[in-house]
Amino acid sequence: MFYREAGDFKSSYRSDSQTFPIAFDRYRYYALLVFAIGVVPFIVDDYWANAVLLPFLIWSIAAIGLNILTGYCGQVSLGTGGFMAVGAFACYKLMTAFPGLNIVFVVLLSGGVTAGVGVLFGLPSLRIKGFYLAVATLAAQFFLVWLFNRVPWFYNYSASGQISAPERTVFGAAVTGANAQAWASYLFCLTFLIAVAWLARNLTRGAVGRSWMAIRDMDIAAEIIGVNPLRAKLTAFAASSFLVGIAGALFFSVYLGAVEVGEAFGINKSFLVLFMVIIGGLGSIFGSLAGAAFMVLLPVFLKNVLVGGLGWDTALAAHFELVLVGGLIIFFLIVEPHGLARLWELTKEKLRLWPFPH
């Protein structure tokens, strides 16, 4: 009854297979976009941008990238942090080597470089899978962090070993550097998230996405019916690494501004993105967004409630956050493996039938 589906008919296959087949969902989606683009930039301040909005947008892109590989293609990866480091260092080298290159192309090229590296480390997936593939991607994580630490060329022979993002502008507004404005950085990252979500959604519901899901469900049966496992797995690694590389470039240039690879892209970042995908929902674009929002807002909420409201020690609140996240992962894996996305779908189904019980 909340959806008012009366008169909402489908007269073509295209209208029946669209992302939001119910008109109410489409209008709500358009209203959310209008609010995010037309209202938030005028009211956002530095605190909300740096504590909530920018981390949410960037981690959402990384979660969508990992979800393509793990949720849609079934290839377990623990090297997300290392691939984000590739995107960050590619962004830094491009920004310093080509000062006149627009930051949009710098981020896209950084994603392209990361896609190439992801395909290289995805080659073992042709022979191994499951736990062994997870260990192989974990090795990629440690190798990439070691490489960026040990080869001075990557950080332009800086004595500190850190990389810093120079200032770059888009339509006259600084989005990187010390003079970057909160609203400009927010809109810059939001544009990339909208484009990434649109790209991922169309990839996963097309022929490429169906080949990924066939490999995920049963690779031998998929090969028998004509799916090329080489092409399917490597395209999944390429698409996933491309999006993760974009997230790494934005994380370095827009959000942090200066990073040290071991601290900014350690193994904890790989697990963080994996937790986002598990809690949000495997094989769901909305689940990636929901998981990223949950993992970004949870520390802020606990800090305000436990530390600010109840007077807990900061370290105790941080440890309680780890316990809570671990318990939620166990809960979702046992009770609802499809995460928050499935819970949202069930809620919508109940609203469509309310007040009738069946």
Side-chain angles (χ1 to χ4, degrees):
M1 292 183 65
F2 283 100
Y3 277 90
R4 302 292 190 270
E5 294 184 61
D8 191 4
F9 303 114
K10 308 296 184 299
S11 57
S12 65
Y13 177 78
R14 179 178 181 180
S15 61
D16 189 50
S17 62
Q18 57 188 330
T19 302
F20 301 103
I22 301 176
F24 181 81
D25 281 338
R26 289 197 300 274
Y27 299 149
R28 183 179 57 190
Y29 169 72
Y30 295 147
L32 181 62
L33 278 182
V34 170
F35 179 79
I37 298 174
V39 177
V40 174
F42 295 100
I43 61 176
V44 68
D45 55 14
D46 289 336
Y47 170 77
W48 279 98
N50 294 321
V52 177
L53 295 177
L54 290 182
F56 163 70
L57 297 174
I58 295 171
W59 288 120
S60 294
I61 296 174
I64 291 174
L66 181 61
N67 217 340
I68 286 178
L69 183 61
T70 302
Y72 284 98
C73 196
Q75 309 301 302
V76 182
S77 174
L78 296 177
T80 309
F83 294 129
M84 288 182 68
V86 174
F89 276 84
C91 179
Y92 172 70
K93 295 298 292 185
L94 289 169
M95 292 176 79
T96 54
F98 305 98
L101 188 61
N102 189 282
I103 184 62
V104 175
F105 298 108
V106 168
V107 173
L108 292 176
L109 289 174
S110 301
V113 172
T114 312
V117 176
V119 169
L120 179 64
F121 284 101
L123 290 175
S125 68
L126 304 177
R127 301 297 298 271
I128 59 177
K129 58 183 178 180
F131 173 76
Y132 302 98
L133 180 60
V135 173
T137 55
L138 186 63
Q141 163 73 38
F142 289 118
F143 171 75
L144 291 171
V145 172
W146 173 86
L147 181 68
F148 294 131
N149 264 326
R150 293 295 181 179
V151 181
W153 179 82
F154 287 110
Y155 49 85
N156 285 352
Y157 304 94
S158 171
S160 63
Q162 289 187 342
I163 57 175
S164 300
E167 182 176 314
R168 293 291 183 271
T169 61
V170 176
F171 299 115
V175 296
T176 66
N179 298 320
Q181 304 175 65
W183 66 269
S185 300
Y186 162 77
L187 282 178
F188 185 67
C189 293
L190 178 65
T191 303
F192 272 100
L193 176 59
I194 293 173
V196 162
W198 176 84
L199 175 65
R201 175 58 181 163
N202 284 278
L203 277 176
T204 52
R205 66 176 182 170
V208 176
R210 289 194 293 270
S211 67
W212 291 343
M213 288 181 276
I215 292 293
R216 175 197 63 190
D217 294 338
M218 187 174 293
D219 52 352
I220 297 177
E223 189 173 4
I224 290 175
I225 63 175
V227 175
N228 187 337
L230 169 67
R231 181 184 305 166
K233 292 182 179 181
L234 292 187
T235 53
F237 267 96
S240 172
S241 301
F242 176 74
L243 301 186
V244 170
I246 289 177
L250 294 175
F251 189 68
F252 153 67
S253 62
V254 179
Y255 180 55
L256 294 180
V259 301
E260 194 278 323
V261 63
E263 296 179 0
F265 301 106
I267 185 63
N268 59 322
K269 293 299 189 295
S270 298
F271 284 112
L272 177 63
V273 181
L274 183 62
F275 295 161
M276 292 177 183
V277 172
I278 292 175
I279 292 177
L282 291 167
S284 169
I285 303 300
F286 172 78
S288 302
L289 303 177
F294 182 86
M295 294 300 294
V296 168
L297 292 175
L298 180 64
V300 178
F301 173 77
L302 291 180
K303 183 177 180 180
N304 289 331
V305 173
L306 299 181
V307 180
L310 301 179
W312 284 25
D313 182 70
T314 305
L316 179 61
H319 293 157
F320 180 76
E321 176 192 343
L322 297 177
V323 173
L324 183 59
V325 171
L328 286 172
I329 290 174
I330 296 173
F331 171 80
F332 279 113
L333 288 176
I334 295 175
V335 178
E336 186 49 77
H338 295 288
L340 295 173
R342 180 56 182 165
L343 295 179
W344 176 243
E345 289 294 329
L346 292 175
T347 302
K348 291 201 300 182
E349 290 297 325
K350 295 294 184 182
L351 290 176
R352 290 176 66 185
L353 296 176
W354 186 87
F356 304 107
H358 304 292

